[in-house]
Amino acid sequence: MSGVLWVVAAMALGQGTCPTAPAVPEDRRANKNKAIICSYNLKWLFDGVNDRVSPWDVPQAEAHIVEVAAGMDQVNADVYILEEVEDCTVVEAMRKKMTNGDDYKVYIVKGTDSYTGQDVALLTKIDPIIDLYRSKAKEAFPVTGGTCSSPSSPGTTGVSKHLATKIQLRPNLIVGIVGVHLLAWPTDKTRCSKREAQAKVIAAIATEVSIGAQGVMVMGDFNDYSGTLLDVKDHIPVSRTLEIIKEATTPPMHEAAVAVAKADRSTHGTGSLGSMIDHVLMSQSLVPYIESVAILHNITASDHFPVVVVLNFETPVPDTDAPVC
């Protein structure tokens, strides 16, 4: 599509119409004995039309969409949580560029980041069984028990970019999904306490969405480091962001990156700028199904790298409807 046609199409479609969970969810995986889950920040997947702060003009945006689609083809995940997307129309444009794009559907619940206009999307071969939702809750900061050495002035904050839903990976395995994009700048002490408050909001959502499910996964761009897993550059978090979210379940959630070699623990930037700020957290009940975890540094369409978790269900799932997370 030419730049002029792209502008016309984008203006005509506006924010796009995002589908809701279908009455009869479909599972379009070729192999239902596995589930490939991916978190990926797409670096301003926007259309370049009247964007407030996006770095792209229309031709650059078009080229970026094509490049991202090619990278997604290489990942070939079943379920994606995608950060830094504009709206359903733009993600749909990217999906249509993918080789197997017809296997996916796009779901977004519009967030409240009016400055960047960024949102979090679900792109999936497995339809959600409940409509996507988000929380308007706010938490006070500084957080009791937090580790921010120089908290900002007291206040409250919510999470402008996130989503929650449930998907059914197996006949008796429903998993709550929470996609997040938290406040940026992990070493900025003035933002530390706000991000800890955001973590409390996400923890409450994780607890809620796990009700009636057999597990929960929280994934996305946390904009913070792990307090238990050193990344490639030995970054130490100034906040307890990950710990607060992990403690939403009993026992605490598992960090998928424990299966990644330290030398490969970089999800944002390369070389001396490398850091691991994108994470996949998951219920301990799902850990026995982990076949592999990888950060795909060969996919270079963004300034972030895809984090991919492969779950293998060849081992029979326990025959129970009771939540085990």
Side-chain angles (χ1 to χ4, degrees):
M1 184 184 292
S2 72
V4 173
L5 290 176
W6 173 260
V7 172
V8 172
M11 291 178 65
L13 291 170
Q15 290 296 314
T17 301
C18 299
T20 56
V24 182
E26 295 180 351
D27 186 341
R28 295 170 291 278
R29 285 177 292 174
N31 180 3
K32 294 179 176 57
N33 288 321
K34 291 188 178 183
I36 304 173
I37 315 293
C38 176
S39 172
Y40 192 13
N41 182 316
L42 298 183
K43 188 185 178 181
W44 294 99
L45 193 79
F46 278 55
D47 59 15
V49 181
N50 298 323
D51 299 330
R52 181 174 180 179
V53 290
S54 167
W56 318 123
D57 59 22
V58 171
Q60 291 170 330
E62 287 182 325
H64 184 53
I65 287 170
V66 170
E67 185 180 15
V68 167
M72 301 281 276
D73 282 338
Q74 294 182 66
V75 178
N76 194 29
D78 299 313
V79 179
Y80 290 95
I81 291 293
L82 304 174
E83 302 88 49
E84 286 197 25
V85 306
E86 182 174 12
D87 55 33
C88 279
T89 300
V90 180
V91 182
E92 271 290 308
M94 186 273 296
R95 180 191 66 79
K96 291 176 181 178
K97 298 289 186 182
M98 295 169 63
T99 301
N100 61 342
D102 289 344
D103 293 337
Y104 295 92
K105 288 186 179 179
V106 179
Y107 298 89
I108 295 177
V109 55
K110 186 166 180 57
T112 59
D113 186 343
S114 59
Y115 179 72
T116 69
Q118 295 174 350
D119 264 313
V120 178
L122 171 69
L123 179 70
T124 180
K125 296 179 182 178
I126 310 169
D127 292 331
I129 62 173
I130 65 170
D131 287 340
L132 273 64
Y133 70 95
R134 63 184 310 278
S135 173
K136 296 181 180 179
K138 294 185 176 183
E139 289 284 346
F141 59 85
V143 171
T144 301
T147 58
C148 300
S149 59
S150 300
S152 52
S153 300
T156 62
T157 189
V159 184
S160 61
K161 296 174 283 196
H162 69 280
L163 62 81
T165 189
K166 294 180 182 180
I167 59 175
Q168 188 152 8
L169 299 181
R170 297 283 282 175
N172 54 349
L173 183 59
I174 294 172
V175 176
I177 299 290
V178 184
V180 305
H181 190 179
L182 302 184
L183 194 63
W185 307 343
T187 59
D188 186 335
K189 293 181 180 180
T190 66
R191 292 189 166 207
C192 175
S193 58
K194 291 181 180 179
R195 197 162 48 252
E196 286 187 334
Q198 287 189 322
K200 290 194 68 175
V201 173
I202 296 300
I205 298 169
T207 299
E208 179 182 72
V209 81
S210 69
I211 297 172
Q214 286 71 51
V216 62
M217 300 180 74
V218 182
M219 68 193 88
D221 183 349
F222 290 61
N223 270 311
D224 215 333
Y225 311 124
S226 168
T228 55
L229 296 177
L230 291 175
D231 65 15
V232 66
K233 295 301 292 182
D234 295 330
H235 288 110
I236 303 293
V238 296
S239 83
R240 293 191 70 249
T241 296
L242 264 70
E243 301 307 313
I244 291 169
I245 297 173
K246 286 162 60 177
E247 291 165 3
T249 63
T250 303
M253 280 186 260
H254 172 82
E255 291 187 49
V258 71
V260 177
K262 181 176 179 295
D264 293 326
R265 289 183 194 150
S266 174
T267 66
H268 178 249
T270 57
S272 62
L273 300 178
S275 64
M276 186 170 68
I277 58 174
D278 305 85
H279 305 274
V280 176
L281 309 180
M282 55 203 303
S283 300
Q284 295 291 340
S285 58
L286 300 175
V287 173
Y289 301 118
I290 296 176
E291 177 179 285
S292 63
V293 182
I295 300 169
L296 303 183
H297 296 124
N298 61 310
I299 310 296
T300 58
S302 171
D303 55 350
H304 291 247
F305 300 108
V307 182
V308 180
V309 177
V310 179
L311 303 178
N312 189 329
F313 306 116
E314 293 290 351
T315 300
V317 179
D319 186 16
T320 177
D321 292 329
V324 292
C325 61

